[in-house]
Amino acid sequence: MTTSETPVEPLSIGQVAERTGLSVHALRFYEREGLLVGPVHRTSGGRRRYSSFDMDWLLICVKLRESGMPLADLKRFAELVRQGPGNEAERLGLLDAHRLRVDAQIQALEECRSVIAWKVGVYAEHLARGEAGGLWDPTA
C-alpha cells in the first residue's frame, strides 16, 4: 500500500491527520508509544514532518486498529519492523493471529445479521398483513 508512486513533500501533522483520519492528539500518542516505524523528522523549528513512508505505515496502523488489533500487538509489530530483516516469521504470526480474530468477528457479525434479517422479515410480514399488534408486547 503506497500513497503515491513519486516522492512527495514532507507533510505536516495536520495534513497527516486529515489524510489518515487520526487526530493530531492520536498521532502524537502513536509517536510517544513507539507505534511508528521510524522517528518523525522535525523542522529546525521543531515541527513534525512526515514522509510518504510514515503515511503508508500510518494507513496500515489505522486499518489494524480499526479491525481491533490491540495496541500491544501493534506496538510489537512496529518494534519488529524497526528491527529489520530476520523476524518476518514473528511478524507473520502477529498478523495471522489478528486475521483469525477478524475472521471470527466477521462470522459472529454475519450470524447477527442473519438473526436481524429474520426478525425484519417477521415484522414486515406482520405489518403487511395488518397483524403487527401484539408482536413482542410486554403489556399483553
Side-chain angles (χ1 to χ4, degrees), residues 84-119:
N87 58 29
E88 292 81 4
E90 189 175 350
R91 294 184 212 181
L92 174 61
L94 277 170
L95 291 172
D96 198 40
H98 182 61
R99 182 187 54 82
L100 291 172
R101 285 191 302 269
V102 169
D103 288 346
Q105 291 172 333
I106 290 169
Q107 181 178 350
L109 285 171
E110 287 174 346
E111 291 170 6
C112 293
R113 183 177 55 194
S114 177
V115 169
I116 293 166
W118 167 73
K119 202 62 186 163

Side-chain angles (χ1 to χ4, degrees), residues 44-105:
S44 59
R47 294 185 179 267
R48 290 170 176 84
R49 300 306 286 170
Y50 293 84
S51 68
S52 58
F53 179 82
D54 295 327
M55 271 295 303
D56 292 343
W57 176 256
L58 284 165
L59 291 170
I60 290 168
C61 289
V62 165
K63 291 303 176 191
L64 291 173
R65 287 295 297 143
E66 281 180 355
S67 61
M69 180 178 266
L71 280 174
D73 287 355
L74 183 55
K75 189 172 188 173
R76 179 66 184 144
F77 186 55
E79 287 171 4
L80 292 169
V81 172
R82 273 194 304 274
Q83 290 172 10
N87 58 29
E88 292 81 4
E90 189 175 350
R91 294 184 212 181
L92 174 61
L94 277 170
L95 291 172
D96 198 40
H98 182 61
R99 182 187 54 82
L100 291 172
R101 285 191 302 269
V102 169
D103 288 346
Q105 291 172 333

